[in-house]
Amino acid sequence: MNYLKEVVILLLGPYLILLCRRVSGEQISSKGVINLAHRQSKWTPLMQMSANLSDITSIRSFFEFRTLDPEGAVFYGDTKEGQDWFVLSLRDGIPEMQIGKADILVSVKGGRKLNDGAWHLLELRNEGKFVVLEVNNKVELVVGLHSKLVEDDLTGKIRLALGGMLVDKQKLFHPFEPEIDACIRGGHWLNLSTTWDTDSTWEPRPCFSEIKKGSYFPGTGVAMFNTSDLPGLKTEEAGITVEIFGSWTGTMLSLQSTGFEYILAVLDGNKDVKEVQLGLKEGSESVALPREPETLTFTILKHSLVVNSVTELEKESLDFFSMWKKGMLLTFGGVPGDSEKAKSTHDLRGCLEKILVQGQVIDLDRALYKHTAVSSHSCPTEAMNELT
Ligand SMILES: *[C@@H]1O[C@H](CO)[C@@H](O)[C@H](O)[C@H]1NC(C)=O
Ligand SMILES: *[C@@H]1O[C@H](CO)[C@@H](O)[C@H](O)[C@H]1NC(C)=O
Ligand SMILES: *[C@@H]1O[C@H](CO)[C@@H](O)[C@H](O)[C@H]1NC(C)=O
């Protein structure tokens, strides 16, 4: 376990340094294209702004929004330093609003699924005691809220934030996974011309012009899971299967535990076959895989590891089932900590359309650690042409 902790610290090290090096933040035009993905921390908003309530002429914000991600934080607003707050998120692709005001907590979900990869115009506004959400100029959700405990006062500050919240997640009525792979453009925020403040750890990233479903690994960065958080064994005969669909080259995955490391890489072979290189740290073996269909099935049996029905490793001394249950590191896209060393392996480059563990879809937003360069729910269509 100590070994695993070291790996985690190694990975998070640069990130902690970045956090400590907080200097004055950058300012981003509120009307431009904003990529909500690729952030360093889960709940801290990507950007925020604040204004005096007395300056607000219109309690209305609208923006275009595009995602393929089913869940995450989109837009947040509060007054009274977070005593009264509001958050718009997605759950199962459907908009959900949660509001906290005095002693009231509200959660409402409804309307059409928005995670279809198309741009949608979202509008949020206050109409007296109601909050209204419009999608593509059609009213989709209306929430009314009244508390006898509070007087509405129009002094003080209003804060807005994108891709996170400024209050503790414990305040949520219905918890959700905040990370979202989404883009926003053409925003109008309460008719303010204020710019967004970001912190210096944020690296602006462009939005792909055309997207398709999948997780995109650009050639740097990994996504790491603790296997004890993933679906477990059903039957010993079937073992544990990891299925990967897509188009890629480089190191697909690695499996690590105390004193054990396994790396599965896919190197570009000739036209018809892709070479798959496997191995423990020292020597490695190769097996040819057909190029079509590009599916990789990695099966973990009690004492062996199997790739597309070919047994690649047998170790009677290891019990992979109990190691899986206790918690190994399963890393997609490379080997944890490798980027600090000389590049001995090639990080994954390509689009993983789907990753299944025991038949269940794996969401990279739920990884223990995901590098900010990896897109959890969208692949650029243009880069894929380049690859093939
Ligand atoms: C808000 O009002 C305070 C004093 O009333 C003022 O000092 C401050 O600059 C104002 N902030 C903005 C963003 O206008
Ligand atoms: C928005 O702001 C502009 C200029 O600041 C102002 O002329 C306009 O009336 C405002 N619109 C609304 C709906 O308040
Ligand atoms: C993985 O999960 C197990 C069980 O929850 C835990 O004991 C272990 O420390 C975790 N490993 C890492 C690297 O987080």
Side-chain angles (χ1 to χ4, degrees):
M1 279 311 120
N2 270 343
Y3 168 75
L4 291 187
K5 274 195 197 119
E6 270 168 37
V7 172
V8 172
I9 288 166
L10 205 83
L11 274 163
L12 298 183
Y15 160 50
L16 294 177
I17 292 164
L18 275 171
L19 273 186
C20 298
R21 219 180 44 200
R22 260 184 99 120
V23 286
S24 64
E26 262 185 83
Q27 299 210 312
I28 304 294
S29 154
S30 58
K31 292 199 172 78
V33 178
I34 298 167
N35 192 338
L36 296 185
H38 313 295
R39 57 201 142 113
Q40 301 271 12
S41 66
K42 269 181 182 281
W43 287 99
T44 312
L46 192 69
M47 42 191 73
Q48 51 179 292
M49 64 165 73
S50 84
N52 288 330
L53 273 171
S54 55
D55 295 340
I56 305 291
T57 55
S58 159
I59 302 288
R60 170 172 172 256
S61 296
F62 56 93
F63 53 94
E64 285 184 80
F65 177 77
R66 183 190 70 180
T67 194
L68 286 163
D69 194 337
E71 188 163 333
V74 181
F75 180 54
Y76 168 92
D78 72 21
T79 55
K80 301 179 193 158
E81 304 271 294
Q83 278 181 56
D84 292 350
W85 55 270
F86 160 92
V87 65
L88 171 72
S89 62
L90 289 192
R91 191 189 302 271
D92 308 319
I94 295 171
E96 181 170 274
M97 292 201 253
Q98 297 193 54
I99 303 171
K101 191 181 174 82
D103 60 329
I104 305 176
L105 273 182
V106 182
S107 166
V108 206
K109 176 180 149 192
R112 52 170 297 178
K113 278 193 192 252
L114 297 181
N115 63 333
D116 58 2
W119 287 100
H120 297 287
L121 178 65
L122 267 58
E123 174 171 326
L124 278 155
R125 61 174 186 270
N126 270 63
E127 288 180 2
K129 292 184 187 299
F130 295 86
V131 180
V132 179
L133 171 70
E134 274 191 12
V135 177
N136 302 330
N137 300 310
K138 195 170 148 278
V139 173
E140 297 266 310
L141 267 185
V142 180
V143 190
L145 190 68
H146 176 67
S147 167
K148 283 183 179 162
L149 295 180
V150 282
E151 288 287 311
D152 281 326
D153 87 53
L154 289 173
T155 58
K157 279 196 184 309
I158 181 167
R159 298 188 296 184
L160 301 182
L162 294 178
M165 304 201 310
L166 297 168
V167 288
D168 197 299
K169 64 174 190 290
Q170 305 296 337
K171 290 200 175 183
L172 287 172
F173 180 61
H174 194 183
F176 59 87
E177 190 61 47
E179 286 188 49
I180 192 159
D181 180 358
C183 283
I184 279 178
R185 70 180 184 194
H188 287 77
W189 315 96
L190 306 172
N191 203 25
L192 294 169
S193 53
T194 325
T195 52
W196 292 103
D197 294 323
T198 66
D199 75 62
S200 60
T201 66
W202 186 68
E203 289 172 52
R205 283 177 197 269
C207 292
F208 303 132
S209 57
E210 301 277 332
I211 54 172
K212 62 172 194 170
K213 272 190 189 163
S215 297
Y216 182 61
F217 288 78
T220 32
V222 301
M224 192 170 89
F225 287 85
N226 187 337
T227 56
S228 72
D229 299 334
L230 294 172
L233 191 69
K234 285 177 205 149
T235 65
E236 295 226 342
E237 301 76 58
I240 293 157
T241 55
V242 179
E243 291 162 275
I244 297 157
F245 304 82
S247 172
W248 64 79
T249 145
T251 302
M252 169 50 67
L253 58 82
S254 64
L255 201 54
Q256 289 173 309
S257 159
T258 316
F260 173 77
E261 181 171 81
Y262 181 84
I263 301 166
L264 200 162
V266 179
L267 306 171
D268 260 332
N270 66 42
K271 261 204 196 118
D272 303 317
V273 290
K274 268 199 169 182
E275 195 115 315
V276 176
Q277 220 178 54
L278 308 142
L280 291 162
K281 263 198 159 156
E282 54 294 353
S284 61
E285 302 167 54
S286 287
V287 60
L289 282 189
R291 207 177 181 102
E292 301 285 344
E294 292 204 81
T295 308
L296 194 79
T297 306
F298 182 62
T299 309
I300 295 160
L301 296 174
K302 195 174 172 79
H303 299 299
S304 59
L305 302 178
V306 178
V307 178
N308 287 9
S309 313
V310 182
T311 301
E312 286 305 323
L313 178 83
E314 251 183 303
K315 273 219 159 202
E316 284 302 318
S317 59
L318 297 175
D319 177 351
F320 290 120
F321 293 159
S322 70
M323 285 158 75
W324 181 276
K325 203 170 164 197
K326 270 198 209 134
M328 287 191 272
L329 284 183
L330 173 62
T331 306
F332 295 101
V335 182
D338 234 28
S339 49
E340 273 76 41
K341 302 178 206 156
K343 275 226 178 245
S344 54
T345 52
H346 297 282
D347 273 3
L348 187 66
R349 192 169 123 71
C351 180
L352 308 190
E353 284 155 24
K354 195 162 60 175
I355 303 172
L356 301 178
V357 173
Q358 294 292 65
Q360 291 182 34
V361 175
I362 297 305
D363 184 345
L364 297 191
D365 282 343
R366 294 176 185 269
L368 199 59
Y369 163 86
K370 178 175 73 64
H371 190 280
T372 55
V374 176
S375 300
S376 53
H377 287 89
S378 62
C379 293
T381 48
E382 65 270 31
M384 295 323 296
N385 298 336
E386 217 176 279
L387 250 187
T388 49

